[in-house]
Amino acid sequence: MSGDKTSEAALADLSRNYVRAVDEADVAWFDANLAADFRNTNPDGTLIDRSTFLVQIGRGSTVRDIREHDVMIRILGDFAIIHARTSYRKPDGSEGAGRYTDDWQFRDGRWQCVSAHVSRA
């Protein structure tokens, strides 16, 4: 594993691309960056596994123009937690906001997302 500054830059890029991939329904990006045992908690409270998440991403998000703000990266050895705020456009055109927490582990020479939790207001 590389130093904290290198890891922090890599994780910041992964976080940006995670949000971009949700906005663009980029299943290939998620397939390449999610751990085999990945789990996601959706805004409605449902907990889904990796394969269900990939199908969900492929259907596209109900919100658009998702952007991340106030990203905080905490590196704890080979584990990292990313907290951030989001803004987006709801289906009716109004603005929405939320938060996410993504957990990453350094496995097999790279950072892999092992879990995510999303909330929306």
Side-chain angles (χ1 to χ4, degrees), residues 23-34:
D23 202 42
E24 297 175 5
D26 187 348
V27 174
W29 186 90
F30 282 108
D31 193 37
N33 290 284
L34 300 181

Side-chain angles (χ1 to χ4, degrees), residues 40 81-84 99-103 113 115-119:
N40 182 71
I81 304 169
I82 300 176
H83 301 277
R99 295 202 63 83
Y100 68 85
T101 301
D102 295 338
D103 300 315
C113 191
S115 71
H117 186 138
V118 180
S119 67

Side-chain angles (χ1 to χ4, degrees), residues 38 42 47-59:
F38 172 83
N42 286 319
L47 179 66
I48 58 175
D49 64 12
R50 184 183 196 277
S51 61
T52 304
F53 181 80
L54 292 175
V55 169
Q56 178 177 288
I57 289 298
R59 287 194 303 262

Side-chain angles (χ1 to χ4, degrees), residues 37-81:
D37 58 345
F38 172 83
R39 296 289 183 273
N40 182 71
T41 302
N42 286 319
D44 67 2
T46 56
L47 179 66
I48 58 175
D49 64 12
R50 184 183 196 277
S51 61
T52 304
F53 181 80
L54 292 175
V55 169
Q56 178 177 288
I57 289 298
R59 287 194 303 262
S61 179
T62 59
V63 300
R64 298 284 177 247
D65 302 323
I66 308 166
R67 300 294 178 262
E68 77 279 0
H69 309 276
D70 306 326
V71 177
M72 181 175 61
I73 299 170
R74 299 166 52 206
I75 300 173
L76 311 165
D78 69 347
F79 192 80
I81 304 169

Side-chain angles (χ1 to χ4, degrees), residues 14 58 99 106:
L14 287 164
R99 295 202 63 83
F106 198 80

